[in-house]
């Protein structure tokens, strides 16, 4: 009998595989635990690999350190109540808590080179797929930025390759989608501290820097976001991430990991281009960077851990996509950013005779939009959309706005505007003496500018949940607000004026919804509302 003052007996750190998969306590009796004997099920234990740093060739690839499961709680923390999985977050708890498939773990062996990584004291286990914040990450953010290995791959030995530092960042991102916003601050310190982890490989560090750059931008920290993406780009080029051999040589023989490395570079390419556009004065560093990396495969193949390399390169995308060749939706997203880069270079040009180049780029943007695959995929479910095609459309409409705004007479629209945000440097001229009037006709660039803004804001009307979309949609909506607010000053008939106001209200409502997750959306919405009120009072 335990005497007063004695500490209670500690539960055994050893547990059989059956109990671990069901997240229940195990008394670790040999040769079979009580629960397995009661249920008449097979009881298996795994041997420890602690101290194994030599003779790894004679080690069975199925061995798993018995101590890696000791940190997995039997139940989820108290703060993770049912609110995290409420219907307003459109989270499917049933899909989260699927039992592990024994065959999945057995079918994918751990490569010999991976055994060295398994000997570290802190290990990642398949149970990480059931971590609440990791679940929120995959359910919400991964759809828009599919860089790290798919969640399905976490149910295999491939999970051992993921460093704990990267998981800390994924948890921090997932916390943004939890109903209690204060929770994200608890994960933020650990996420940024993880960047100094000396054991994290350079490839994973690029992923970590990239993810944090997206999040810091979405939290309104422009300087940190710019610094992080530049650091990630520098490191990526130093380690040769832009060369096809990197993905092959650092995949440990796993097609999903090889695809993840390819996607890491292309995602960095996309984020670098978007942040360059939002900042305007900064260059698109990776735009002219040579690369022979294959384009990403289809999203369904990747997310189901059934990667089939495309064998297609950026040159194929540039030369053959108008000839009917099929590409993944991620590839069309890359092409859209490449078009955006062409616009940014054109806008920085000091050449006075650019009309022919402007017409060429404008025609290419229009043809790119018409050549995109359907937004709703196969069309069987109109309530969902392909996020990669959504972003491709968003980026192409942004490119049209950036192309026509500097050349439109609407840029002289005068109204009181707040200082530019990290979303845009575009600011209407105040007190210029060249204000447009409601009787003045719009030039061709202004018509194209308004039409692009109309189409871009229309993406907010899709029936799928808006919080599943990329946080960069905040800046797209801010661009729409600027264009539509300027248009409100000069539209002549009341019918068009009401239509413009409806577009503005749509953008404001969308920013309000996104503001529940991303602080930048809150700030942008307040600034845009003030700008709109200033125009209405005129």
């Amino acid at each position: 009998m335990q005497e007063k003052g004695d500490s209670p007996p500690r539960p055994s750190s050893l547990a059989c595989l059956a109990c671990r998969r069901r997240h229940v306590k195990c008394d670790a009796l040999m040769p079979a635990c009580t629960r397995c004997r009661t249920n008449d099920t097979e009881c298996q234990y795994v041997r420890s690999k602690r101290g194994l740093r030599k003779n790894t060739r004679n080690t069975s690839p199925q061995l798993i350190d018995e101590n890696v499961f000791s940190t997995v709680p039997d139940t989820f923390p108290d703060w993770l109540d049912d609110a995290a999985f409420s219907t307003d977050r459109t989270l499917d708890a049933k899909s989260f808590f699927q039992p592990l498939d024994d065959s999945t773990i057995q079918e994918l062996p751990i490569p010999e080179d991976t055994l060295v990584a398994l000997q570290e004291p802190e290990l990642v286990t398949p149970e990480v797929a059931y971590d609440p914040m990791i679940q929120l990450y995959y359910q919400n953010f991964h759809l828009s930025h599919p860089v790290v290995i798919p969640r399905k791959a976490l149910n295999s030995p491939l999970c051992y390759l993921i460093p704990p530092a990267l998981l800390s960042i994924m948890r921090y991102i997932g916390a943004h989608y939890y109903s209690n916003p204060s929770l994200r601050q608890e994960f933020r310190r650990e996420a940024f501290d993880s960047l100094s982890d000396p054991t994290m490989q350079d490839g994973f560090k690029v992923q970590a820097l990239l993810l944090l750059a997206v999040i810091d931008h979405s939290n309104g920290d422009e300087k940190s976001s710019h610094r992080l993406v530049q650091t990630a780009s520098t490191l990526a080029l130093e380690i040769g991430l832009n060369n096809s051999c990197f993905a092959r040589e650092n995949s440990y023989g796993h097609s999903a990991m090889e695809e993840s490395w390819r996607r890491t570079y292309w995602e960095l390419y996309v984020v670098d281009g978007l942040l360059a556009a939002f900042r305007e004065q900064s260059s698109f560093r990776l735009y002219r960077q040579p690369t022979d990396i294959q384009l990403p495969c289809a999203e369904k193949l990747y997310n189901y851990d059934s990667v089939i390399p495309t064998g297609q390169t950026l040159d194929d995308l540039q030369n053959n996509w108008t000839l009917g060749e099929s590409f993944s939706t991620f590839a069309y997203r890359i092409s859209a950013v490449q078009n955006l880069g062409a616009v940014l270079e054109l806008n920085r040009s000091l050449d006075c005779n650019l009309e022919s180049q402007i017409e060429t780029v404008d025609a290419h943007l229009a043809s790119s939009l018409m050549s995109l695959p359907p937004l709703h995929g196969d069309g069987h479910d109109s309530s969902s959309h392909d996020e990669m095609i959504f972003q491709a459309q968003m980026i192409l409409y942004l490119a049209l706005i950036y192309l026509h705004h500097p050349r439109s007479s609407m840029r002289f629209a005068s109204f009181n505007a707040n200082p530019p945000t990290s979303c845009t440097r575009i600011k209407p001229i105040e007190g210029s003496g060249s204000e447009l009037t409601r009787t003045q006709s719009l030039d061709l660039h202004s018509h194209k500018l308004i039409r692009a803004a109309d189409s871009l804001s229309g993406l907010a009307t899709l029936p799928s949940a808006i919080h599943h979309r990329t946080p960069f949609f905040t800046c797209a909506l801010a661009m729409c607000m600027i264009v539509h607010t300027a248009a409100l000053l000069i539209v002549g008939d009341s019918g068009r004026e009401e239509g413009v106001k409806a577009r503005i209200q749509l953008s404001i409502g969308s920013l309000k919804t996104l503001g529940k997750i991303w602080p930048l959306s809150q700030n942008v919405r307040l600034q845009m509302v003030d700008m709109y009120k200033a125009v209405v009072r005129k």
Side-chain angles (χ1 to χ4, degrees):
M1 184 174 182
Q2 182 181 332
E3 296 182 2
K4 185 176 181 180
D6 292 344
S7 59
R10 297 178 62 185
S12 172
S13 61
L14 178 63
C16 71
L17 290 176
C19 290
R20 288 172 183 170
R21 295 189 185 106
R22 290 168 175 77
H23 302 286
V24 295
K25 292 182 178 180
C26 180
D27 56 354
L29 294 179
M30 300 289 187
C33 71
T34 303
R35 191 179 301 276
C36 286
R37 288 201 308 270
T38 303
N39 297 332
D40 193 24
T41 58
E42 183 179 6
C43 189
Q44 294 181 340
Y45 293 87
V46 289
R47 293 167 49 196
S48 172
K49 279 200 202 67
R50 286 207 170 187
L52 295 181
R53 294 193 178 271
K54 296 181 179 180
N55 301 325
T56 56
R57 294 185 183 276
N58 297 326
T59 306
S60 169
Q62 306 300 333
L63 295 182
I64 303 174
D65 190 337
E66 65 182 27
N67 297 282
V68 300
F69 294 95
S70 60
T71 59
V72 179
D74 294 319
T75 58
F76 291 132
D78 294 337
W79 47 259
L80 188 64
D81 54 23
D82 293 337
F85 302 102
S86 58
T87 55
D88 64 334
R89 293 286 183 185
T90 66
L91 302 180
D92 186 358
K94 291 183 179 179
S95 65
F96 282 168
F97 295 96
Q98 295 290 343
L100 289 173
D101 184 357
D102 295 351
S103 61
T104 304
I105 296 180
Q106 298 298 327
E107 287 175 356
L108 187 58
I110 304 174
E112 292 181 1
D113 293 342
T114 312
L115 295 176
V116 177
L118 301 187
Q119 296 153 14
E120 300 299 330
E122 285 191 60
L123 302 177
V124 178
T125 70
E127 273 74 0
V128 74
Y130 302 95
D131 182 295
M133 294 301 108
I134 298 296
Q135 293 171 353
L136 290 173
Y137 173 90
Y138 278 103
Q139 183 74 9
N140 298 276
F141 187 82
H142 182 75
L143 300 173
S144 299
H145 302 277
V147 179
V148 300
I149 63 172
R151 181 171 177 252
K152 188 176 180 64
L154 293 179
N155 278 355
S156 74
L158 187 58
C159 70
Y160 291 100
L161 298 174
I162 309 302
L166 183 60
L167 288 172
S168 298
I169 294 172
M170 294 168 65
R171 291 188 182 98
Y172 169 52
I173 297 175
H176 284 73
Y177 297 93
Y178 181 63
S179 57
N180 183 359
S182 64
L183 182 64
R184 69 190 64 168
Q185 295 302 323
E186 300 181 23
F187 287 92
R188 178 177 174 82
R189 180 185 298 273
E190 182 180 354
F192 277 87
D193 287 347
S194 67
L195 289 178
S196 59
D197 184 354
T199 65
M200 185 161 54
Q201 299 177 13
D202 287 339
F204 289 114
K205 185 166 291 186
V206 172
Q207 288 186 346
L209 291 166
L210 172 60
L211 293 176
L212 286 177
V214 176
I215 298 305
D216 265 11
H217 172 81
S218 307
N219 285 331
D221 194 339
E222 178 184 2
K223 291 183 178 179
S224 175
S225 176
H226 179 67
R227 174 178 52 82
L228 287 167
V229 78
Q230 292 302 312
T231 304
S233 299
T234 299
L235 180 58
L237 297 178
E238 286 179 354
I239 64 177
L241 190 62
N242 58 319
N243 300 322
S244 60
C245 60
F246 181 92
R248 185 170 58 253
E249 294 172 357
N250 293 272
S251 64
Y252 299 94
H254 292 290
S255 59
M257 181 57 69
E258 185 175 346
E259 174 73 5
S260 177
W261 292 133
R262 289 192 290 264
R263 285 168 173 256
T264 300
Y265 180 79
W266 288 124
E267 187 68 25
L268 184 59
Y269 181 91
V270 170
V271 172
D272 185 28
L274 285 171
L275 292 182
F278 298 148
R279 289 178 60 89
E280 280 199 294
Q281 76 273 21
S282 63
S283 62
F284 184 177
R285 183 177 180 183
L286 298 181
Y287 179 64
R288 294 293 183 183
Q289 185 65 43
T291 178
D292 62 347
I293 302 179
Q294 295 180 26
L295 296 172
C297 69
E299 296 307 294
K300 286 186 177 180
L301 291 177
Y302 185 58
N303 288 324
Y304 282 94
D305 193 15
S306 305
V307 175
I308 301 177
T310 63
Q312 299 166 324
T313 64
L314 192 59
D315 289 339
D316 297 323
L317 183 63
Q318 294 170 339
N319 300 327
N320 301 329
W321 77 306
T322 56
L323 301 179
E325 184 173 346
S326 178
F327 293 90
S328 69
T329 55
F330 198 135
Y332 288 106
R333 177 173 174 246
I334 295 169
S335 177
V337 174
Q338 192 176 39
N339 284 319
L340 176 62
V343 173
L344 298 180
E345 281 203 342
L346 190 62
N347 288 346
R348 283 193 296 270
S349 175
L350 298 179
D351 192 345
C352 297
N353 300 315
L354 294 174
E355 285 305 317
S356 62
Q357 297 181 50
I358 293 171
E359 292 178 3
T360 299
V361 173
D362 182 46
H364 193 64
L365 290 172
S367 65
S368 297
L369 280 165
M370 291 185 287
S371 302
L372 288 177
L375 183 61
H376 298 287
D378 56 16
H380 295 306
D381 183 8
S382 59
S383 64
S384 62
H385 67 270
D386 188 303
E387 179 63 25
M388 297 295 98
I389 296 300
F390 169 86
Q391 289 188 41
Q393 288 190 9
M394 179 191 81
I395 294 167
L396 289 171
Y397 288 134
L398 276 173
L400 284 168
I401 290 176
Y402 281 112
L403 177 66
H404 293 292
H405 183 273
R407 299 162 181 91
S408 166
S409 58
M410 284 177 56
R411 70 185 184 277
F412 296 113
S414 174
F415 51 87
N416 296 324
N418 288 302
T421 68
S422 55
C423 272
T424 175
R425 287 291 181 271
I426 292 180
K427 182 179 179 180
I429 298 175
E430 298 182 38
S432 63
S434 57
E435 299 180 16
L436 295 177
T437 64
R438 290 178 179 268
T439 59
Q440 184 171 343
S441 61
L442 296 176
D443 60 359
L444 179 61
H445 289 293
S446 296
H447 280 293
K448 291 185 176 183
L449 179 63
I450 294 176
R451 185 170 61 183
D454 288 347
S455 299
L456 181 53
S457 64
L459 294 177
T461 64
L462 294 175
S464 55
I466 194 171
H467 70 270
H468 281 168
R469 299 169 198 171
T470 173
F472 289 131
F473 194 41
T474 292
C475 295
L477 292 170
M479 293 299 300
C480 293
M481 284 283 293
I482 289 177
V483 174
H484 286 137
T485 303
L488 196 61
L489 288 170
I490 54 180
V491 292
D493 59 273
S494 58
R496 289 189 63 188
E497 181 177 344
E498 288 303 313
V500 172
K501 286 183 177 180
R503 295 283 183 181
I504 293 175
Q505 292 168 358
L506 172 63
S507 296
I508 291 176
S510 301
L511 288 171
K512 182 178 181 181
T513 301
L514 289 170
K516 297 176 182 178
I517 304 173
W518 309 115
L520 176 63
S521 301
Q522 298 179 20
N523 298 336
V524 169
R525 176 178 173 270
L526 293 175
Q527 289 180 321
M528 296 299 146
V529 167
D530 289 343
M531 184 176 66
Y532 173 64
K533 288 181 178 178
V535 171
V536 172
R537 285 195 295 266
K538 286 199 170 189

